[in-house]
Amino acid sequence: MTEQQPGEMRVALIQGDIQLGNPEANHKHMQTLLERAVEQYPDLKLAVLPEMWNTGYALEKIQELADPEGQRSRAWLSAFAQKHQISIVGGSIAEKRNDQIFNTMYAYNRSGDQVTRYDKLHLFRLMDEEKYLQPGADPEIFELENGLTAGASICYDIRFPELARTLALNGARALIVPAEWPNPRLHHWRTLLTARAIENQMYVIACNRVGKGGDTEFFGHSLIIDPWGEIVAEGGEGEEIVTGLIRPSLVDEVRGRIPVFEDRRPGIYFGGK
């Protein structure tokens, strides 16, 4: 394990398998993986789970499977964060709210306080999300350990550079991305995440699932990418805890070296943005 230096923080991506349509088994499994992470890495500051970890894409049964108001998932994430004194981005869950279903991310600080709730903005038609889920309405930025201000993005959201740029312009120094990104689009996954890091000069912290859901296979390759676009850590194609050290102050250094944000000319862009 690489020794942590002053100003650094250890991040763990919980690259786990998900049982389709089995919230009980998935809660137990994610609990086991999180416990393993805090045991193996006593200096852990932030853990990130994958997208829709409570149900997978069991969309035809999602009304009965979704967590009402996220109550169970929220209570568990808050208690775990407080007990182990780490921040947790709880991937995303299928959440039932006023008889509608959302693909929702929750994040908690080390005191167990909720610091964000984000509903996925862009719904993925190739997996029929728009038939069963409601889209979110607002971007979200939240505070984590060591002065790390993070922006929320879920899976398909990374294909929309406008969202990442909006988050960066409003103070995000990292983009956190839970995902169920399937085969065969590994090249897209790596390229889009790297582009979001380079163009916005911020960390990208992306946790993808592994395993198979129905006929769809998922390849893992969770990634931590620094503001230069260099890969800090990358998972393989099996279940594992992917870990790496990030240094939030590097964002300021990179933005100082190449002043992209100072050189923007929003007045000439379409819509003036």
Side-chain angles (χ1 to χ4, degrees):
M1 183 171 65
T2 306
E3 186 176 348
Q4 192 171 144
Q5 300 299 315
E8 290 183 328
M9 57 184 288
R10 183 170 297 281
V11 176
L13 308 177
I14 310 302
Q15 183 175 286
D17 196 358
I18 297 166
Q19 289 193 30
L20 190 67
N22 194 338
E24 188 66 34
N26 291 327
H27 269 270
K28 289 180 180 178
H29 189 50
M30 290 298 160
Q31 173 92 20
T32 297
L33 293 176
L34 275 172
E35 288 175 347
R36 186 182 305 165
V38 296
E39 180 180 350
Q40 290 180 352
Y41 302 101
D43 61 347
L44 183 62
K45 293 292 191 295
L46 169 64
V48 182
L49 275 61
E51 179 186 18
M52 294 278 279
W53 59 263
N54 64 332
T55 61
Y57 271 84
L59 294 179
E60 293 183 357
K61 299 180 180 178
I62 207 68
Q63 277 285 342
E64 61 190 77
L65 294 172
D67 190 348
E69 301 291 336
Q71 291 180 3
R72 180 184 185 185
S73 303
R74 291 162 58 196
W76 169 63
L77 291 166
S78 175
F80 194 98
Q82 184 176 32
K83 177 181 178 180
H84 295 283
Q85 293 290 289
I86 63 169
S87 292
I88 301 178
V89 174
S92 74
I93 61 167
E95 177 182 324
K96 190 171 186 176
R97 199 183 312 148
N98 298 324
D99 290 325
Q100 296 180 319
I101 310 298
F102 294 84
N103 185 340
T104 303
M105 172 198 292
Y106 283 99
Y108 290 84
N109 64 21
R110 61 186 300 175
S111 299
D113 301 320
Q114 182 180 308
V115 293
T116 203
R117 182 182 77 182
Y118 166 71
D119 297 324
K120 188 176 184 179
L121 291 175
H122 304 96
L123 300 182
F124 189 45
R125 294 177 184 274
L126 291 187
M127 293 183 79
D128 290 334
E129 281 189 305
E130 83 289 354
K131 296 178 181 177
Y132 300 94
L133 307 178
Q134 296 298 312
D138 300 297
E140 285 290 330
I141 294 176
F142 52 101
E143 297 293 327
L144 292 171
E145 301 291 327
N146 290 24
L148 184 66
T149 305
S153 192
I154 299 175
C155 202
Y156 187 47
D157 282 337
I158 68 170
R159 289 188 180 272
F160 299 85
E162 306 94 327
L163 174 58
R165 178 50 58 92
T166 296
L167 294 167
L169 288 172
N170 284 277
R173 300 153 65 83
L175 187 68
I176 299 188
V177 188
E180 288 204 31
W181 198 280
N183 273 324
R185 294 183 287 276
L186 175 58
H187 176 63
H188 289 194
W189 169 251
R190 278 207 194 103
T191 302
L192 290 167
L193 291 171
T194 303
R196 300 295 85 84
I198 293 171
E199 70 197 6
N200 294 295
Q201 299 173 313
M202 64 183 179
Y203 279 99
V204 170
I205 299 166
C207 182
N208 194 29
R209 68 162 289 189
V210 296
K212 191 172 183 179
D215 296 327
T216 306
E217 294 183 355
F218 301 90
F219 54 68
H221 284 275
S222 298
L223 284 159
I224 301 171
I225 304 171
D226 78 11
W228 288 117
E230 300 294 332
I231 293 176
V232 175
E234 181 173 3
E237 297 192 358
E239 191 167 81
E240 63 178 297
I241 296 164
V242 181
T243 182
L245 295 172
I246 68 171
R247 180 167 56 89
S249 63
L250 180 61
V251 175
D252 294 328
E253 294 176 22
V254 173
R255 290 178 178 178
R257 290 276 299 275
I258 305 177
V260 169
F261 293 95
E262 295 177 26
D263 292 338
R264 293 178 70 250
R265 299 182 63 194
I268 68 168
Y269 306 150
F270 289 109
K273 299 178 182 179

